[in-house]
Amino acid sequence: MIKHAAIVGSGPSGFYAAEALLNALPDIVIDMFERLPTPYGLVRSGVAPDHPKLKQVTLVFDKIMRSERFNFLGNVSVGTDLSLDALQRSYDIVVLAYGASTDRKMGISGERLANSHSATEFVGWYNGHPDFRDCTFDLSQEVAVVVGHGNVAADVARILLQPPDDLRRTDIAAHALEVLAESKIRDVHLVGRRGPAQAKFTTRELRGLSLIPQCQVLTQSNAVTIGPACELELADRSNINALQNVEFFRGLSNAGQAQIARKLIFHFCLSPERLEGEAGRVKQFVFRRNTLRGNSFEQAAAPTDELFGIDCGLVFGSIGYRGQPLERVPFDFRRGVVPNRKGRVECDGIAVDGLYVTGWLKRGPTGIIGTNRADSIETVQQILEDLPGRIPRPQGGRRQLVESISLRSAPVIGLPEWLTIDAAECAMGRRANKPREKITRIADMIDVVSQGRAGNASDSYGERAG
């Protein structure tokens, strides 16, 4: 008997879960539901445009999408267009893989001042995400502060300081390139609450920052101080990334002070205290100095009485992402994840029958794209253990569900429709000497589909449903 699985979300974790299910179960058919008309999640809307190699993973996802046992249903929002209950009634397996779409707030006074933004907004904006297409950023300011010591913070700093001409041959959104071309940003401060040994950058990202043309990279006070507990951390062979990061920072502190127009300055052991403004706009960021206390790998930032201010006109908070709750799904609001045990969704410690989770929504916003493969395989292993004891869902329920979705006014975007959008973006990109020119409004995507397709999304779905 054919088994049916629904995957909610089309980012890396969703595709890796689909891949593992397709490989393990020859009699499974998978429907992947995505709120946007476009697949790939943060690979499309989160990976920086000047990192094209990281986007090559979509070649793997493309192969999965073309499987006769896989169906992409874009422009369908679970929780709005259809309920989770409807999915659970119609599918043997439901996997939540919709990620962590919102940012964590700093929670300080002045955070709502004009020119104070989240990194999520900025990254989505320059990557052409429809949700952030109309955001505005005042790049007439000369000094920006980015709070956070992870790869997203590094991306924000690099895009702010990268010469616009170096971005013209990437898939950066046209509206963003136009604004960045007029940018007056000259100094970017990257601030973390703990020390250089605890910074979460991958070393590759750090080294990339030192390659920004005509930009001096340095550490505040031109010194990198490492305590005994940090030295023990760095001596651990499993902590090679931290050791390489510290060596990178030490290299900066030993470098001479070049007279270059733009600067990227790293700050350590500073926690956000407040934002001060003038005429409703950011004017200064006040931080509180910290010391590190605790044993190695358990060190926490302990506040001191000393304050430190940075005059600035633009702020980006990049202290992590949070998952969002879905109606009738258990949710841990403190961690921003769905409670689970190895991918089995749990409510008060009891597994929810047929409901699973993977990716950032499962573990929190940690790791790189490849991390999601092992994570999704773990979830699929739980599915395979549970399947023999599950009562199959009634045949035909899934077909009726999809047919009911196709009757609404907004079209369902299947694989043929996505390929039409993809071809249009690539064609526009060729005219601009770019890999692609992203279509950044959902209405425009639908227009492209309407002009270029034969039949409709429900017909194309039906041909592949099995």
Side-chain angles (χ1 to χ4, degrees):
M1 181 181 293
I2 294 177
K3 298 177 179 64
H4 297 114
I7 297 177
V8 182
S10 68
S13 63
F15 273 105
Y16 286 134
E19 178 185 53
L21 285 169
L22 290 169
N23 288 339
L25 299 170
D27 58 347
I28 196 166
V29 173
I30 297 172
D31 294 338
M32 177 176 281
F33 294 88
E34 167 58 48
R35 179 176 67 89
L36 297 175
T38 54
Y40 310 140
L42 286 179
V43 177
R44 177 179 168 96
S45 63
V47 173
D50 56 347
H51 283 4
K53 289 185 178 180
L54 293 179
K55 303 186 182 191
Q56 290 178 354
V57 70
T58 59
L59 297 175
V60 176
F61 302 160
D62 286 344
K63 184 177 179 180
I64 296 169
M65 288 184 77
R66 293 174 188 274
S67 168
E68 290 299 320
R69 295 184 288 132
F70 179 95
N71 302 286
F72 176 69
L73 292 96
N75 203 34
V76 178
S77 177
V78 174
T80 302
D81 298 318
L82 75 164
S83 67
L84 180 70
D85 283 346
L87 287 181
Q88 290 178 293
R89 289 194 302 268
S90 305
Y91 290 86
D92 301 294
I93 302 158
V94 177
V95 181
L96 304 176
Y98 59 86
S101 58
T102 61
D103 55 280
R104 294 181 181 273
K105 301 299 183 184
M106 292 182 287
I108 58 173
S109 172
E111 193 168 5
R112 293 181 178 273
L113 285 169
N115 290 0
S116 171
H117 306 279
S118 71
T120 304
E121 296 169 321
F122 189 61
V123 171
W125 173 76
Y126 66 63
N127 273 318
H129 192 296
D131 289 354
F132 305 103
R133 167 64 176 82
D134 294 322
C135 290
T136 58
F137 301 93
D138 182 7
L139 302 189
S140 67
Q141 305 298 320
E142 293 189 345
V143 181
V145 173
V146 182
V147 179
H149 273 180
N151 285 352
V152 174
D155 285 345
V156 171
R158 194 179 62 257
I159 295 299
L160 286 171
L161 291 168
Q162 194 89 337
D165 284 346
D166 289 1
L167 296 172
R168 293 188 189 279
R169 299 294 183 264
T170 73
D171 68 353
I172 191 169
H175 62 260
L177 184 60
E178 183 179 346
V179 175
L180 288 164
E182 302 299 322
S183 173
K184 298 296 189 294
I185 297 289
R186 58 177 176 80
D187 291 348
V188 174
H189 299 261
L190 263 175
V191 184
R193 63 186 179 87
R194 294 196 294 169
Q198 291 78 38
K200 298 301 182 183
F201 307 104
T202 59
T203 304
R204 182 176 180 177
E205 284 295 312
L206 275 182
R207 291 171 178 166
L209 293 175
S210 67
L211 300 177
I212 301 172
Q214 294 301 304
C215 180
Q216 172 75 10
V217 184
L218 59 151
T219 59
Q220 198 269 332
S221 299
N222 202 36
V224 175
T225 303
I226 302 294
C230 292
E231 294 289 1
L232 287 174
E233 292 180 16
L234 298 179
D236 190 309
R237 291 185 178 181
S238 66
N239 203 26
I240 184 66
N241 187 81
L243 176 61
Q244 292 174 338
N245 285 355
V246 169
E247 290 174 348
F248 173 85
F249 292 128
R250 282 173 170 161
L252 297 181
S253 65
N254 293 328
Q257 292 286 340
Q259 296 301 312
I260 298 178
R262 289 172 295 160
K263 291 183 175 62
L264 174 59
I265 306 105
F266 287 94
H267 299 258
F268 305 104
C269 292
L270 294 176
S271 285
E273 181 75 10
R274 64 179 180 271
L275 280 169
E276 297 180 348
E278 184 176 271
R281 294 181 176 274
V282 170
K283 183 180 180 182
Q284 186 182 59
F285 207 139
V286 178
F287 294 89
R288 185 172 295 277
R289 290 199 183 276
N290 301 318
T291 59
L292 295 181
R293 294 180 183 174
N295 298 323
S296 58
F297 295 106
E298 298 176 351
Q299 295 186 89
T304 70
D305 293 332
E306 185 180 354
L307 299 178
F308 176 81
I310 300 176
D311 292 334
C312 60
L314 189 61
V315 167
F316 295 96
S318 181
I319 57 174
Y321 292 89
R322 288 181 56 84
Q324 288 296 293
L326 193 62
E327 187 178 5
R328 301 181 67 83
V329 175
F331 197 75
D332 183 337
F333 285 90
R334 184 182 65 83
R335 295 181 58 214
V337 300
V338 171
N340 70 93
R341 188 179 300 274
K342 295 185 177 181
R344 288 189 184 96
V345 174
E346 293 188 339
C347 182
D348 298 327
I350 300 173
V352 179
D353 188 39
L355 187 61
Y356 303 87
V357 64
T358 188
W360 280 5
L361 194 62
K362 170 186 173 183
R363 70 181 187 273
T366 61
I368 57 176
I369 292 172
T371 307
N372 292 291
R373 174 168 257 151
D375 187 283
S376 293
I377 289 173
E378 180 186 60
T379 294
V380 169
Q381 287 173 341
Q382 314 315 306
I383 294 173
L384 298 178
E385 290 178 12
D386 295 346
L387 263 182
R390 298 210 67 234
I391 300 173
R393 290 296 182 260
Q395 293 296 304
R398 159 185 166 271
R399 168 69 64 178
Q400 294 173 7
L401 177 69
V402 174
E403 288 177 351
S404 69
I405 298 170
S406 68
L407 295 175
R408 63 193 187 127
S409 58
V412 177
I413 301 299
L415 175 62
E417 290 74 36
W418 155 240
L419 293 177
T420 297
I421 295 170
D422 181 54
E425 290 185 341
C426 291
M428 290 189 294
R430 285 192 293 272
R431 291 194 290 272
N433 293 316
K434 299 171 63 174
R436 72 172 60 236
E437 189 67 76
K438 291 177 185 173
I439 302 170
T440 59
R441 300 190 190 279
I442 292 177
D444 293 340
M445 296 179 193
I446 303 304
D447 285 345
V448 166
V449 169
S450 298
Q451 295 166 14
R453 71 183 178 183
N456 57 52
S458 60
D459 290 339
S460 64
Y461 169 85
E463 291 170 2
R464 296 169 53 84

